[in-house]
C-alpha cells in the first residue's frame, strides 16, 4: 500500500502498478483500460508517491506477475554493478541526476543497462516536456549498415514510397521524389499491400536493383512479417533489414506471431547474409503506445510503461532503426494532438536513454483530434531533442496506410532551421549526383538529362 496526504485528503494506491498508471499524464488508452487517475489531484498525488520511491523497488516488485519472457529478458539485461552507483536514488532524485549538467553523454551511455525500462518509465512520468527534450538531446546512439546514422548534428529520413497496389511505377516515382529532396538515408522502406513471398520478393528486388544502379549508400526494407523475411533469406532474396513490430509483453508479441527466439534466429540469418558494408545492425523495429491494450495483453499496466518494456526487446538485437509510430494506433489510445505530442517525446526520451537509435513516425489518423499544426510542433520538438530519423512520405499523406505523417519537405524544414545534415555517406552521394547545392539544399535548376530524372522515362 502506497499513500500520501494532499491537503486534507489521504490518497491510497494498492500497488506499484497502480501508482505508475495513475501517475501517467492523461491519455485516452489508460482511461479505456480503467486504470487512469480519476482526477488531476489523484494524478499529482500518484506522482508525489512515485517521486519518493527508491529505484530499487523496481527490482523487487514485478508489474506483471505471470510468467513473461520479456520480464525475464529485462532481468537478464540489468547490470547490477553499474546500477550500484545510482541505486541510492529515488525516482525524483533520478530525474535530477539525469538533468545534471555533469551527467554527460558518455555517462548516460555507460549506464544504459543500469536502469530497467520500468525505472525509465517511472522517471518519465514526473518529467516535463522540456526535461524529456534536454535529456534525450544528451543521448547519442549511432548505428551502421551502409551508412552511419545517429551522429550528433544529423537527421535522417526513412523514404516511405507506399502504394495501395504495390505498383512498381508508383513506388519508383515516390522514391525519386524523396531522393531528389534529400530523403532516404535512414532506409527506403515499403509497407507492402500484401504480405506474401512473391509480392515481397518482387519489391525487394525492385529496391535493390534501383539502389545498385545508382550506387546509393543506404539500405532497403520491405516491412513484412519476420517469418516472411526469414523464408526469403533462405532463398537468397536481397534482404537488407529485417522488420518486425514488437511489444512489451510476451502475450502481445504472441499476438504478433513472434517470440524472442524467433527474433534471435532472424537477426543471425540477416547478419550471415553479409550485405552491409560498414556495420552489422540489421533489424528495424516499430512500436507504439496502446498496442498491448488493443491486443488485451496489458495486464493492467499503463500503456507508456508497456511501450518502454518493448525497448528491452529491441535493444537485445542491436537494431539499425527503431521508431514509435506514435499516433498511428488511433484516438482510442492517444486522443488528440496534445496526447500525441507528449507520447512522442516520452517514447523518444525513453528509447534513447535505454540505448536505442530512436526515430518517430510523427503521425495521426484521420479520426483523431489532431492536425498538421500539432505534427509541426512535435516535429520541431523532436528535432531539438536529437531524434535520429523521421518519416518521409509524398505530401505527408500515406495513400496505402491511410494516415497522415511527415513529408520530404518537413525533413528539409527541420534540417534547414536546425542546421542538421543527412548521414555523411548519403550526403556525399547527394553532392556527387548534383542533387544538393553548396548550401546542402535540393537544387531547383534541374536538367532533363539528370540520371534520376531520365529513369522516369523508362
Amino acid at each position: 500500500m502506497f499513500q500520501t496526504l494532499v491537503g486534507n485528503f489521504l490518497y491510497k494506491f494498492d500497488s506499484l502498478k497502480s501508482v505508475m498508471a495513475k501517475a501517467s499524464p492523461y491519455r485516452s488508452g489508460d482511461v479505456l483500460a480503467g486504470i487512469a487517475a480519476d482526477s488531476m489531484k489523484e494524478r499529482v498525488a500518484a506522482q508525489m508517491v512515485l517521486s519518493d520511491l527508491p529505484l530499487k523497488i523496481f527490482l523487487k516488485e514485478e508489474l506483471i506477475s505471470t510468467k513473461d519472457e520479456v520480464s525475464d529478458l529485462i532481468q537478464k539485461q540489468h547490470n547490477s554493478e553499474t546500477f550500484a552507483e545510482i541505486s541510492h536514488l529515488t525516482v525524483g532524485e533520478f530525474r535530477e541526476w539525469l538533468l545534471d549538467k555533469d551527467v554527460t553523454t558518455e555517462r548516460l551511455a555507460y549506464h544504459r543497462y543500469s536502469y530497467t525500462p520500468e525505472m525509465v518509465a517511472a522517471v518519465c512520468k514526473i518529467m516535463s516536456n522540456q526535461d524529456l527534450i534536454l535529456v534525450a538531446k544528451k543521448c547519442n546512439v549511432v548505428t551502421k549498415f551502409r551508412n552511419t546514422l545517429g551522429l550528433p548534428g544529423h537527421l535522417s529520413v526513412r523514404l516511405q514510397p507506399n502504394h495501395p497496389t504495390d505498383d512498381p511505377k508508383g513506388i519508383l516515382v515516390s522514391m525519386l521524389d524523396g531522393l531528389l529532396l534529400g530523403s532516404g538515408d535512414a532506409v527506403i522502406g515499403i509497407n507492402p499491400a500484401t504480405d506474401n513471398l512473391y509480392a515481397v520478393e518482387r519489391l525487394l528486388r525492385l529496391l535493390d536493383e534501383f539502389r545498385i544502379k545508382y550506387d546509393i549508400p543506404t539500405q532497403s526494407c520491405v516491412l513484412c512479417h519476420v517469418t516472411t523475411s526469414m523464408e526469403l533469406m533462405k532463398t537468397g532474396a536481397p534482404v537488407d533489414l529485417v522488420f518486425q513490430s514488437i511489444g512489451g509483453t510476451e502475450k502481445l508479441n504472441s499476438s504478433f506471431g513472434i517470440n524472442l527466439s524467433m527474433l534471435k534466429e532472424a537477426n543471425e540469418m540477416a547478419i550471415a547474409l553479409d550485405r552491409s558494408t560498414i556495420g552489422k545492425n540489421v533489424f528495424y523495429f516499430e512500436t507504439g503506445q496502446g498496442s498491448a491494450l488493443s491486443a488485451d495483453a496489458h495486464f493492467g499496466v499503463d500503456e507508456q510503461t508497456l511501450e518502454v518494456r518493448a525497448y528491452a526487446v529491441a535493444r537485445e538485437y542491436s537494431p539499425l532503426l527503431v521508431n514509435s509510430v506514435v499516433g498511428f494506433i488511433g484516438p482510442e489510445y492517444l486522443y488528440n494532438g496534445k496526447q500525441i505530442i507528449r507520447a512522442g517525446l516520452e517514447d523518444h526520451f525513453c528509447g534513447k536513454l535505454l540505448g536505442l537509435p530512436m526515430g518517430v513516425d510523427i503521425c495521426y489518423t484521420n479520426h483523431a483530434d489532431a492536425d498538421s499544426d500539432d505534427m509541426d510542433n512535435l516535429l520541431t520538438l523532436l528535432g531539438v531533442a536529437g531524434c535520429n530519423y523521421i518519416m518521409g512520405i509524398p505530401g505527408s499523406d500515406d495513400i496505402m496506410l491511410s494516415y497522415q505523417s511527415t513529408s520530404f519537405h518537413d525533413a528539409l524544414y527541420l534540417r534547414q532551421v536546425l542546421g542538421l545534415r543527412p548521414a555523411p555517406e548519403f550526403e556525399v552521394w547527394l553532392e556527387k549526383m548534383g542533387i544538393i547545392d553548396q548550401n546542402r539544399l535540393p537544387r531547383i535548376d534541374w536538367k532533363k538529362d539528370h540520371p534520376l530524372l531520365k529513369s522516369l522515362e523508362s
Side-chain angles (χ1 to χ4, degrees):
M1 176 69 72
F2 304 90
Q3 61 185 37
T4 188
L5 187 67
V6 179
N8 295 321
F9 192 85
L10 184 65
Y11 287 91
K12 297 181 179 181
F13 308 95
D14 59 8
S15 66
L16 178 59
K17 179 164 60 176
S18 177
V19 173
M20 292 280 279
K22 294 183 183 298
S24 286
Y26 181 84
R27 62 206 53 194
S28 53
D30 291 337
V31 174
L32 183 63
I35 59 175
D38 293 329
S39 66
M40 182 57 76
K41 286 184 178 180
E42 186 180 29
R43 181 168 295 107
V44 170
Q47 291 174 342
M48 290 170 63
V49 169
L50 185 62
S51 180
D52 288 336
L53 292 179
L55 291 179
K56 291 178 181 177
I57 197 171
F58 294 97
L59 302 178
K60 300 174 182 177
E61 186 169 338
E62 286 282 357
L63 299 183
I64 297 174
S65 56
T66 60
K67 178 67 176 174
D68 186 282
E69 68 173 0
V70 177
S71 297
D72 294 341
L73 177 65
I74 290 169
Q75 291 181 6
K76 187 191 81 170
Q77 288 179 346
H78 182 247
N79 187 326
S80 58
E81 293 184 7
T82 56
F83 176 68
E85 299 178 19
I86 59 171
S87 62
H88 61 286
L89 299 177
T90 64
V91 174
E93 290 167 342
F94 183 33
R95 170 187 171 272
E96 294 172 1
W97 182 83
L98 291 170
L99 293 168
D100 192 316
K101 63 180 176 59
D102 293 328
V103 177
T104 60
T105 296
E106 293 73 24
R107 197 168 177 194
L108 290 174
Y110 170 78
H111 277 290
R112 283 173 183 170
Y113 288 90
S114 299
Y115 16 80
T116 66
E118 290 84 356
M119 295 175 193
V120 172
V123 75
C124 180
K125 296 177 192 300
I126 63 168
M127 296 176 77
S128 67
N129 288 2
Q130 184 180 111
D131 294 342
L132 300 176
I133 292 168
L134 192 155
V135 178
K137 181 72 171 180
K138 293 199 288 185
C139 299
N140 295 331
V141 184
V142 177
T143 55
K144 299 180 181 182
F145 189 85
R146 290 196 187 95
N147 57 23
T148 307
L149 304 174
L151 292 169
H154 292 255
L155 173 74
S156 296
V157 185
R158 170 191 162 186
L159 203 170
Q160 185 170 313
N162 295 344
H163 192 277
T165 63
D166 289 340
D167 179 70
K169 291 181 180 178
I171 289 170
L172 284 171
V173 168
S174 293
M175 286 171 55
L176 288 168
D177 187 13
L179 290 168
L180 292 171
L181 290 170
S183 291
D185 50 341
V187 62
I188 302 177
I190 302 173
N191 295 88
T194 178
D195 192 327
N196 65 60
L197 293 176
Y198 169 75
V200 172
E201 182 172 6
R202 184 170 66 104
L203 293 174
L204 283 170
R205 295 198 181 281
L206 174 72
L207 293 177
D208 200 51
E209 289 168 8
F210 190 90
R211 178 189 63 79
I212 291 172
K213 180 177 181 179
Y214 296 104
D215 194 25
I216 310 172
T218 190
Q219 36 283 329
S220 64
C221 183
V222 176
L223 281 67
C224 57
H225 193 269
V226 64
T227 54
T228 304
S229 293
M230 292 169 76
E231 287 301 312
L232 288 168
M233 284 190 283
K234 292 176 184 176
T235 66
V239 176
D240 283 351
L241 304 185
V242 177
F243 170 81
Q244 185 55 49
S245 296
I246 56 172
T249 69
E250 181 178 346
K251 185 178 180 182
L252 175 55
N253 286 327
S254 295
S255 77
F256 291 145
I258 63 168
N259 56 45
L260 300 185
S261 62
M262 183 186 296
L263 297 179
K264 181 175 184 292
E265 181 181 358
N267 191 54
E268 292 171 350
M269 289 176 68
I271 291 173
L273 291 178
D274 197 26
R275 290 181 53 81
S276 61
T277 55
I278 63 171
K280 298 296 183 182
N281 304 113
V282 297
F283 247 123
Y284 175 11
F285 290 121
E286 281 190 348
T287 66
Q289 290 192 30
S291 57
L293 177 58
S294 69
D296 191 26
H298 61 101
F299 302 97
V301 179
D302 67 273
E303 63 185 45
Q304 187 258 334
T305 298
L306 291 175
E307 169 74 3
V308 188
R309 282 172 55 94
Y311 300 158
V313 177
R315 69 177 180 175
E316 182 69 8
Y317 308 101
S318 301
L320 182 79
L321 304 166
V322 179
N323 77 267
S324 163
V325 193
V326 66
F328 182 73
I329 198 166
E332 299 85 358
Y333 309 96
L334 294 169
Y335 180 74
N336 56 22
K338 180 179 177 65
Q339 293 182 23
I340 292 170
I341 289 170
R342 172 69 191 191
L345 295 176
E346 289 173 348
D347 296 349
H348 179 254
F349 158 80
C350 293
K352 279 290 188 67
L353 195 58
L354 290 168
L356 288 178
M358 287 300 294
V360 178
D361 191 343
I362 301 160
C363 63
Y364 63 100
T365 56
N366 292 321
H367 61 312
D369 183 18
D371 59 29
S372 59
D373 288 340
D374 295 316
M375 299 306 103
D376 283 351
N377 292 341
L378 180 54
L379 171 71
T380 305
L381 293 172
L382 286 168
V384 174
C387 190
N388 278 27
Y389 71 103
I390 62 170
M391 308 299 119
I393 298 168
S396 76
D397 182 8
D398 192 305
I399 59 174
M400 196 279 281
L401 293 175
S402 298
Y403 80 117
Q404 308 301 311
S405 185
T406 45
S407 70
F408 309 130
H409 293 86
D410 290 329
L412 286 177
Y413 148 74
L414 204 57
R415 284 175 176 167
Q416 189 171 358
V417 76
L418 296 178
L420 303 173
R421 304 172 69 165
E425 300 87 348
F426 192 78
E427 185 176 52
V428 169
W429 179 81
L430 292 173
E431 292 171 345
K432 182 181 73 173
M433 294 294 289
I435 293 174
I436 56 176
D437 60 22
Q438 67 274 15
N439 297 314
R440 299 197 301 275
L441 295 174
R443 302 183 68 90
I444 58 173
D445 55 338
W446 292 109
K447 296 181 179 179
K448 292 183 179 180
D449 61 348
H450 189 280
L452 288 177
L453 291 179
K454 288 185 70 175
S455 67
L456 284 171
E457 300 173 4
S458 58

